[in-house]
Amino acid sequence: MRAGLALFLTAVLQLNTFWGTNGELATRAPCRPGFSQSFYSVLISRDVLEGQHIIKDTAVSPQKVKFDDCMGNDGVTFRSSDPGFGVRADGSVYARQEGASLDEPVQFKVTASGPHTHVWETIIQLAPIAAPPPSRPGNEVTEDEGKSAERKEKKKEAILSPPTVIRFSVLSRGLRRQKRDWVIPPINVPENSRGPFPQMLVSIRSDQDRDISIRYSITGLGADQPPNEVFSIDPVAGKMFVTKPLDREMRSSYHLRAHAVDMNGNQVENPIDLYIYVIDMNDNRPEFKNQVYNGSVDEGSKPGTYVMHLAAFDADDNTTANGMVRYRILSQTPHSPIPNMFTINTETGDIVTVAAGLDREKVSQYTIIVQATDMEGNLNFGLSNTATAIITVTDINDNPPMLTSRTFSGEVPENRVDVVVANLTVLDADQPHSPNWNALYRIVSGDPLGHFTVRTDPVSNDGMITVVKPVDFEMNRAFMLTVVVSNQAHLASGIQSSLQSTAGVTISVVDVNEPPYFPTNPKHIRFEEGVPAGTKITTFSAADPDRLQMQQIVRYSKLNDPADWLSVNRTDGEIVTTALLDRESPYVKNNVYEATFLATDNGSPPASGTGTLQIYLIDINDNAPVLVPREAQICERYSRNTNGVNITAVDADMDPNVGPYVFELATQPSSVRRNWTITRLNGDYARLSLRYQVYLEPGVYEVPVVVTDSGNLPMTNRSVIKVKVCPCDEHGDCTTLGAVAAAGLGTGAIISILICIIILLSMVLLFVVWMKRREKERQTKQLLIDPEDDVRDNILKYDEEGGGEEDQDYDLSQLQQPDSLDHIISKPPGVRRVDERPIVPESQYPIRPVIPHPGDIGDFIHEGLRAADNDPTAPPYDSLLVFDYEGSGSTAGSVSSLNSSSTGDQDYDYLNDWGPRFKKLADMYGGGDDD
C-alpha cells in the first residue's frame, strides 16, 4: 500500500454559479479605510522554493494584500508578527529571512499604521500550492475531479476553486525526505440557503480506505462546539454537510478540523484544517442611526459649502454590492429659491449646497428627505430606507441697523441726571436678540464734556439718550448730537453700512429755578471761647446760580444750632453769638462746634440750599482744676513706706491751661497743717500724708487742699478730700474692725446690731413654727359651723352615725341594691319600670372607690355628685320614674297608703328663710291672696 493521504474536496456545483454571478456584480466600492479583507489565504507556487526553503527578500506570491487609508497611503507601514515573512508597501508578501520554511501552513498577523492614529489589522495564511499529480496506475481521477478542472480552465477570472485532489506528506522508509502539505482553499457557503438540508459541501477521502476501514469526523465551532451541529460528516463516506441555513451577520466564518481514524480509533492521517466562509446575501436594508438629523448652514453660503453628514449602516458585507450604500435626496421643503438647493454625496452621505441664495430672512429652515439604498444604489435590486434632515439657516450680520429717522429731538431740565431725554428707534432684519441684531449706539460729536450717553433697550433695541452729568441752562441752552448705530457683531464680508445708521439729535435744556448755594461749604472759622453774647463772628452768605433771570432775593435762616449759641441775619447772613461759646460743652466735638444754615430764594417754586459753619473754639483758662481722688484711707500711725495718698487734679481745659499743678494745704483750720503734709512728686502728682510722730484716732477726716493750674491767669480751686484713718496690719492695709471703727461705729453699737439680728431671726423662726402648727390644726379639727351663720342652706353635719333615735327604726335595706337579681329575672313579662336595670349582659365597670369623709361637707357632696355622674349603670337624673309596679317580695308598704296631712290653711312663708334654692317653692306656695 502506498504511503500518503489523498483528500478529495468536491465543491457543490451551485457554488460556481453563485460566484460567477457575484463576480459580475463586483464594482468599485466607496473608499473605506482599511484592508480589503480580514483574512488572506496566499498560495505559494513551488517555483519560488529552493528545496523546501524560500530565498530571502523573494516575493512569495503574485497575490498582494490590498490596503487603502483613503489618504494616498502616504507614510503607511506594515508590521508582521512573524519574523520570517513581511509585507512591502505595495502589498506583496516576501521572505524576511534566508531559508524561511513552509513545512506547514504559516499564519501571522499584519498591522498597518501611518501618520493617523488608527491602526488596522488582518490575518495572512501562507501555504504551498500543489502541482498536478502524475498519473499513477490504479488511481484515476473521478468524474467530479474532471469537471472541477474543466471549470477552472473555463473561468480563470473566477475565484479559485478547491483542488480536487490534495496530497499529504507521509513518512517513508529510507532517506527520502518528507513532502510538504497541500493547502485546502476555504469552502464558501452562501447564507440563507433554502436547502434542502442537510446540504453536502465537500467529500473527504483517504487513499488508505482501500486497505482499511476509515472513520471520518470533524471538530470545531459549528461541529462539536457551540453552535453545535451546524456541520456534520458521514463517518464512512466522508461527505460533509451543512445542516441549516447560515447567517453571515451572526457568524461569517468557521474553522473546522477533519480527522481520519481506523476502527480502533487510531489516527491514520494528520488532521486537516477546513475554513468555511459564509457568502453574503443582500438580506439587510440600510439603517440610519437617527430618524431625524439636524444640521445648519450660514445664510449667503457659497455653492459647495458643507452642511451636514448622514450615515446609514448596512449589516451586509461592505466589500460586496450587498453592503455598498448610496444616498440621494428625494425631496426638499420649501422649494425656495429653487427646488434643489442641496445635494448629497452618493457614497459618503455629505450634504452640501449647490446654489447660492440662502437667506434666513426669507427661509429659515429646510426639510430634506434622504434615501439610502444598497446594491450601489440600484433601485431595482437594492433595499432602501429614508431619514429626515432638518437644515437650519443660521443668521449672519448681512443687514445693517437703520434708524427710522435722520433727526430726533428731546429736552432735559437742568441739573437732572439719569433722565431719558430721547428715544432712537432702529430697524434690523437679522435674528432678534442675537449679536447680529443687538444695537450699539455712540455719540460721535456734540457732547465734548460727556453729559449724555446712549443706552440700548434690551427688549426693543431702541437707543435711550440719558443724562449722566447735570447740564446748566446758563452754560448751554441746547446740544446738537450726532449718533451712530452699529451691531454688536461686525457686518458680514461685503456688506456696507447704511446711511440710515447715523442721525442728528437736538437736546434742549429747560431752565429751572436753581437753589442758592454757599460758595464755601462747609465754612471753617477760628474763634476764642467765652466771647460775650452779641459778638459778630462771620458772614455766611449764599449765591444764586440763576444769573440770566431777574435778580432774586435770598433769605437766611437757622436750620440746626444744637446749643442755640448763634443767630443769623435774614438779609445778609451775618452770624452773631447769642450766648457764651464754651469749648467744654458736650455739643463741641474735637474743639469744633457745627451749625447748619438755610438760604432760600423767592423763585417759583422757591428753592433752598444749606450750608454748614464749623467754628473751631480756641481754649482759654476758664476751668479750675479739681482734686482727685475725693476719698482715701491711711494708717493711723506714720509709716515711711505705706503712709500717704497720691493725689492729682483734673482740668477741663487744654494745654497750656492745665498742669503742672500746685498742691497746698488750706490755712484753715490750723489743725490741717499741724497734722498733714503734702509732698510734690512731679508736675501732676503730689503725696498727702500724716506728719511724723502724729497719731490720729480712727475716723474720717476732711482735709482741704488748694490746687492751682498753670494757665495764663491761673485758676485755683479749694477741694476737700475725705481721708479715713484706720488701724493697719503689718502690710499697711486697714483691718476689718479698724475699718468699721474708722467709719464711726463703737463696740457697743456693733454688739447692738448683732443682738437685733439674732432677735429678728428668732422671730422669723417662731412665725414659721406657728404657721405649720396652724395648718396641722386646720386639717384635723372638725367642721364646727353655727347653723344660723351658715350660708350653705343650713346643711348640718353630725358627728354621730345616723340622724337620731327615730332614724334607727327605719329599714334601710329597701334602699340597697339586692345582691341577687333572681326575683327580677323570674318576673313575668309585662310592663317594667323604666328605672330598673336592664336584664342584659353589661360591661364590667370599675367599682366606685370609697371616698373618705372630707372635712368640708361641700367637698363631700361634690365628690358624691362626680361619682354618680361618672357611673354608667345609674339611670339618667331627668328620666321619668313610673311606680305602677312595685315588684314582689318588698317589705315596704304601698305608696298609695301615704296621705298628705297638709291643709289649705298652712303657712308656707318659712320657705323664704331657707335660702335661694327654695325660692321657687316659696313663690309657688307662699303667694298668699295674690295667687
Side-chain angles (χ1 to χ4, degrees), residues 679-693:
T679 304
R680 181 182 177 86
L681 298 179
N682 54 36
D684 295 331
Y685 287 89
R687 188 176 185 84
L688 174 66
S689 60
L690 288 171
R691 285 189 177 273
Y692 182 65
Q693 294 182 349

Side-chain angles (χ1 to χ4, degrees), residues 337-388:
I338 60 174
N340 299 317
M341 288 294 296
F342 305 93
T343 186
I344 188 170
N345 189 306
T346 58
E347 297 183 0
T348 64
D350 294 335
I351 297 178
V352 297
T353 60
V354 295
L358 290 174
D359 191 350
R360 189 204 65 86
E361 287 72 37
K362 295 181 179 179
V363 179
S364 61
Q365 190 177 85
Y366 290 89
T367 300
I368 295 177
I369 306 300
V370 178
Q371 183 185 56
T373 307
D374 57 15
M375 297 299 291
E376 296 184 288
N378 191 322
L379 299 178
N380 295 324
F381 302 100
L383 303 177
S384 301
N385 212 336
T386 60
T388 301

Side-chain angles (χ1 to χ4, degrees), residues 669 671-672 676 700-705 719-724:
S671 60
V672 173
W676 303 90
V700 178
Y701 297 86
E702 293 184 354
V703 181
V705 178
S719 301
V720 176
I721 179 173
K722 292 183 179 181
V723 181
K724 184 187 299 181

Side-chain angles (χ1 to χ4, degrees), residues 458-480:
V459 177
S460 64
N461 213 26
D462 292 344
M464 301 178 295
I465 299 181
T466 308
V467 182
V468 294
K469 291 174 62 176
V471 295
D472 191 353
F473 176 81
E474 286 72 28
M475 298 295 295
N476 294 289
R477 297 189 178 185
F479 292 87
M480 301 296 295

